[in-house]
Amino acid sequence: MKPADEVLGAVGFSVLSVRPGDTCVTMGVSDLPVVAPSIYLSLMESACVAALMEYLESGETTFLTHSSLEIVGSAEAGVEIRANARVINIEGRELTFECDVYDGERHLAQAEIRRATVERLSFLARTAAQSLIN
């Protein structure tokens, strides 16, 4: 990864047209036809990844290590929602993001997300080895 002072403050964006399959009722997490919390989180993670695109070295990627999600509004299928993410802290290989989701100007969710920088092939090799052991 590039030096922390270059990465700190980096921003990323992600957009999703909400489909019926993205709702709580379809995913089986409640009987409400509104966007499922996991969709908000996935959209924010996508924005985090977009924020880092130009800062990672070849072969590097990031992996979710922690999230703290707060839902402050809801949206239904058919709307377009967007997420933004901003790098607010870097400690070693762990990056902390401040994230938000909006439907137009309406704030729907916010989160603090931490992602660790990993070397893609080593990470996949360790994962495969662990699955063989168990």
Side-chain angles (χ1 to χ4, degrees):
M1 186 171 66
K2 295 200 174 173
D5 62 334
E6 288 183 40
V7 181
L8 200 59
V11 296
F13 304 94
S14 186
V15 176
L16 173 73
S17 294
V18 179
R19 303 157 300 206
D22 298 324
T23 63
C24 291
V25 69
T26 303
M27 296 182 108
V29 295
S30 86
D31 60 354
L32 296 171
V34 297
V35 177
S38 60
I39 299 299
Y40 289 139
L41 185 58
S42 292
L43 190 63
M44 287 187 236
E45 281 195 85
S46 180
C48 292
V49 170
L52 296 177
M53 281 187 157
E54 64 185 86
Y55 299 103
L56 296 177
E57 302 296 331
S58 177
E60 279 185 319
T61 191
T62 61
F63 186 77
L64 178 71
T65 59
H66 176 81
S67 66
S68 173
L69 175 65
E70 180 181 1
I71 308 292
V72 296
S74 59
E76 297 177 331
V79 301
E80 184 175 271
I81 58 176
R82 72 183 192 290
N84 58 59
R86 183 172 59 92
V87 179
I88 60 169
N89 192 39
I90 302 171
E91 288 186 30
R93 299 191 70 75
E94 187 171 77
L95 299 104
T96 303
F97 297 83
E98 176 181 81
C99 306
D100 294 282
V101 175
Y102 293 91
D103 169 12
E105 296 300 312
R106 200 163 52 91
H107 192 216
L108 301 176
Q110 57 197 29
E112 181 176 285
I113 292 176
R114 290 195 302 261
R115 296 182 69 85
T117 305
V118 297
E119 198 283 318
R120 185 177 293 108
L121 291 178
S122 297
F123 182 84
L124 291 173
R126 280 191 311 276
T127 302
Q130 288 171 345
S131 68
L132 290 174
I133 293 170
N134 297 327

